[in-house]
């Protein structure tokens, strides 16, 4: 595998890096739109906290959640009178991000269903499990944003009361906080579509470059994009720091099962993950430097 990396044209590695860098930067743009004018957070501060959050993901064993906690805590410390609003903006940003991903997974499940049924049993089980997780995630998100209708039902309100008793009121507080964004439904729809149609496809595009550099031909578009989508859902599960290892295993398994040579799939994922880590490390270190060095 190291030999195949050495033999690869550096151009494909650079293009993979550029696609991921654009995606990370646009993630900060999405959050800026969700923060809203009331919080008065500058573009610079938005980008700084975005990169610091991604940097934190590397070290916190909580999937893609850990960096969001750090980002919310840092923003809340700056906006002492608006801590709840600051925290909710990070939560909603995370929600619209995974909502876009879940919708893509369900779309690709439909597109590639005939090919999913030909997968080995283990890979097929992974696909069905992550598809079910995505469908459940869509239902939960719908509950968060349409609670006024859902919690009119006695069963739903009793279920929320039960969860509040066991979790010290956290579910109820989250649901009520998110409902504040209901009035900004255009922003919610826009940022969800922005995630589904641009941000996640950029991550999918990033894997095509090292794959092409390894196999010297364009890999199948539908199954390659589906593999990355499933890998990103797996990385969102809070098991490892930043989803490292989890994403790689799922993407590599599915690509190999869909007739991409195992060595090429492994090589592509090594480069993909290495570029992602490099961006997170460089961005985090740059924005964590003392103020005087940051200005320079």
């Amino acid at each position: 595998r190291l030999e195949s990396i050495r033999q690869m044209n550096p151009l494909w590695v650079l293009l993979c890096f550029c696609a991921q860098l654009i995606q990370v930067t646009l993630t900060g743009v999405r959050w800026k739109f969700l923060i809203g004018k009331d919080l008065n957070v500058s573009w610079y501060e938005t980008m700084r906290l975005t990169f610091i959050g991604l940097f934190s993901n590397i070290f916190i064993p909580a999937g893609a959640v850990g960096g969001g906690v750090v980002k919310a805590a840092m923003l809340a410390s700056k906006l002492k009178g608006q801590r709840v609003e600051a925290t909710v903006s990070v939560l909603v940003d995370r929600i619209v991000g995974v909502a876009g991903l879940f919708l893509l997974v369900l779309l690709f499940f439909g597109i590639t269903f005939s090919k999913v049924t030909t997968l080995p049993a283990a890979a097929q089980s992974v696909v069905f499990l992550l598809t079910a997780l995505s469908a459940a995630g869509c239902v939960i998100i719908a509950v968060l944003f349409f609670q006024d209708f859902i919690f009119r039902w006695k069963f739903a309100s009793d279920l929320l009361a039960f969860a509040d008793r066991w979790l010290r009121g956290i579910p109820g507080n989250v649901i009520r906080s998110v409902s504040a964004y209901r009035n900004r439904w255009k922003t919610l729809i826009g940022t969800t579509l922005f995630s589904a149609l641009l941000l996640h496809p950029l991550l999918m595009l990033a894997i095509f470059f090292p794959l092409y550099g390894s196999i010297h031909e364009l890999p199948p578009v539908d199954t390659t994009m589906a593999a990355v989508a499933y890998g990103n859902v797996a990385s969102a599960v809070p098991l490892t720091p930043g989803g490292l290892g989890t994403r790689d295993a799922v993407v590599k398994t599915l690509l190999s099962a869909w007739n991409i040579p195992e060595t090429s799939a492994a090589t592509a994922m090594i480069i993909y993950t290495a570029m992602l880590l490099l961006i997170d490390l460089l961005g985090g270190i740059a924005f964590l430097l003392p103020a005087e060095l940051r200005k320079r």
Side-chain angles (χ1 to χ4, degrees), residues 12-286:
W12 304 120
V13 180
L14 177 62
L15 288 173
C16 177
F17 177 88
C18 290
Q20 291 181 346
L21 180 59
I22 293 170
Q23 194 273 345
V24 169
T25 304
L26 291 178
T27 298
V29 172
R30 181 188 66 197
W31 184 36
K32 174 62 177 173
F33 280 109
L34 286 166
I35 287 174
K37 297 177 181 179
D38 295 340
L39 294 184
N40 192 28
V41 181
S42 68
W43 277 99
Y44 172 80
E45 191 64 17
T46 302
M47 289 299 171
R48 188 176 83 88
L49 293 178
T50 295
F51 275 95
I52 289 175
L54 292 169
F55 176 79
S56 303
N57 271 343
I58 301 172
F59 306 102
I60 301 175
V65 178
V69 174
V70 172
K71 188 165 67 172
M74 293 183 70
L75 182 60
S77 69
K78 289 181 173 293
L79 304 171
K80 294 183 179 178
Q82 297 173 301
R83 289 180 176 177
V84 174
E85 292 85 350
T87 303
V88 172
S89 75
V90 177
L91 174 62
V92 173
D93 179 61
R94 189 66 197 138
I95 288 172
V96 299
V98 296
L101 178 58
F102 290 158
L103 291 174
L104 277 180
V105 165
L106 296 178
L107 172 65
F108 280 114
F109 180 72
I111 292 173
T112 62
F113 181 75
S114 60
K115 296 178 181 179
V116 168
T117 57
T118 65
L119 288 171
Q124 197 175 107
S125 298
V126 170
V127 168
F128 282 123
L129 177 62
L130 293 175
T131 301
L133 181 63
S134 298
C138 288
V139 171
I140 292 171
I141 290 169
V143 169
L144 284 172
F145 287 112
F146 296 97
Q147 55 177 288
D148 294 350
F149 308 100
I150 292 170
F151 290 110
R152 289 176 186 173
W153 301 343
K154 187 175 184 305
F155 173 77
S157 61
D158 289 345
L159 191 63
L160 178 61
F162 175 79
D164 275 343
R165 283 196 300 272
W166 277 93
L167 299 173
R168 300 181 179 180
I170 292 176
N173 288 334
V174 169
I175 287 173
R176 285 185 288 273
S177 298
V178 171
S179 68
Y181 274 80
R182 281 275 301 280
N183 295 329
R184 298 176 58 195
W185 61 271
K186 290 182 180 179
T187 301
L188 290 174
I189 293 175
T191 50
T192 300
L193 292 176
F194 183 66
S195 300
L197 300 179
L198 184 59
L199 295 187
H200 294 299
L202 274 170
L203 288 179
M204 296 171 183
L205 176 64
I207 197 70
F208 277 88
F209 297 121
L211 272 178
Y212 184 87
S214 181
I215 63 178
H216 306 295
E217 62 179 87
L218 185 68
V221 175
D222 55 350
T223 53
T224 302
M225 294 180 75
V228 177
Y230 281 111
N232 287 336
V233 170
S235 73
V237 179
L239 295 176
T240 61
L244 295 177
T246 311
R247 178 196 297 111
D248 305 63
V250 170
V251 175
K252 175 180 167 295
T253 297
L254 292 180
L255 288 176
S256 300
W258 274 320
N259 300 320
I260 297 292
E262 186 176 352
T263 301
S264 298
T267 299
M269 281 312 301
I270 289 171
I271 292 172
Y272 179 94
T273 301
M275 294 302 100
L276 205 57
L277 286 173
L278 181 61
I279 291 169
D280 293 351
L281 283 169
L282 291 178
I285 290 171

